[in-house]
Amino acid sequence: MYFGGNTMQKNTTDSAINKETIQKLKKFQKPEQPNILTKFIVLFLGSSSESMKQIRAALRSNNDEKISEIAHSLKSSSNYLGALTFSNYCDQLQKLAESENATPSSITEIVNHLETEYIQVVKELEEYKKDP
């Protein structure tokens, strides 16, 4: 990964999900119990899908406070599952939305990056869900 301008850019060879984080989560699995990783993934995918819709709605209504709130929540949950680039975009979005220098175009730029990364995160988490 490298940083360009105000937004973090991602190399195309990078995985959206940190494999080490996934391995650490797998260590919490108890024998004879439902798959904990799958449970975390299902919870994240359900809540994050709605959060991404809410970010777009808040962007349309210029509600920076709501954008910051949602980005903060997404930052934590995505980091927990190893979606580190996505989490970093959430952090940038949260900070920008709280900044007096925020403009609709600067927020839109980060939201666009966030949405692109989210597609990859979902794709990779769905694979982990199939083969935990």
Side-chain angles (χ1 to χ4, degrees):
M1 280 179 249
Y2 65 96
F3 294 85
N6 290 333
T7 59
M8 187 172 72
Q9 305 267 326
K10 182 177 171 194
N11 294 330
T12 56
T13 58
D14 289 346
S15 175
I17 304 297
N18 180 281
K19 290 176 178 65
E20 291 175 10
T21 302
I22 294 296
Q23 292 307 314
K24 287 177 184 176
L25 288 173
K26 286 181 176 182
K27 290 181 182 180
F28 289 105
Q29 181 63 45
K30 294 181 181 174
E32 310 295 323
Q33 295 294 315
N35 188 287
I36 193 166
L37 179 60
T38 300
K39 183 179 178 178
F40 289 145
I41 290 170
V42 168
L43 288 171
F44 174 78
L45 292 177
S47 65
S48 63
S49 175
E50 185 59 32
S51 294
M52 292 300 291
K53 291 175 190 172
Q54 291 175 351
I55 284 177
R56 269 293 167 192
L59 184 61
R60 284 191 298 274
S61 63
N62 293 317
N63 188 341
D64 292 352
E65 185 176 327
K66 186 71 172 172
I67 291 170
S68 173
E69 174 187 314
I70 298 165
H72 177 77
S73 176
L74 279 172
K75 176 180 66 174
S76 300
S77 60
S78 59
N79 192 53
Y80 185 77
L81 277 173
L84 305 181
T85 300
F86 182 80
S87 180
N88 284 332
Y89 282 135
C90 291
D91 184 54
Q92 289 178 31
L93 181 59
Q94 178 187 358
K95 288 175 181 172
L96 182 61
E98 293 170 354
S99 166
E100 292 180 15
N101 299 325
T103 64
S105 64
S106 63
I107 291 176
T108 299
E109 181 182 357
I110 293 179
V111 170
N112 289 340
H113 287 294
L114 187 69
E115 288 177 328
T116 300
E117 183 66 16
Y118 181 70
I119 292 167
Q120 190 61 33
V121 165
V122 169
K123 180 180 172 186
E124 290 185 29
L125 287 177
E126 289 290 350
E127 288 301 313
Y128 279 109
K129 196 169 80 172
K130 288 180 195 173
D131 185 26

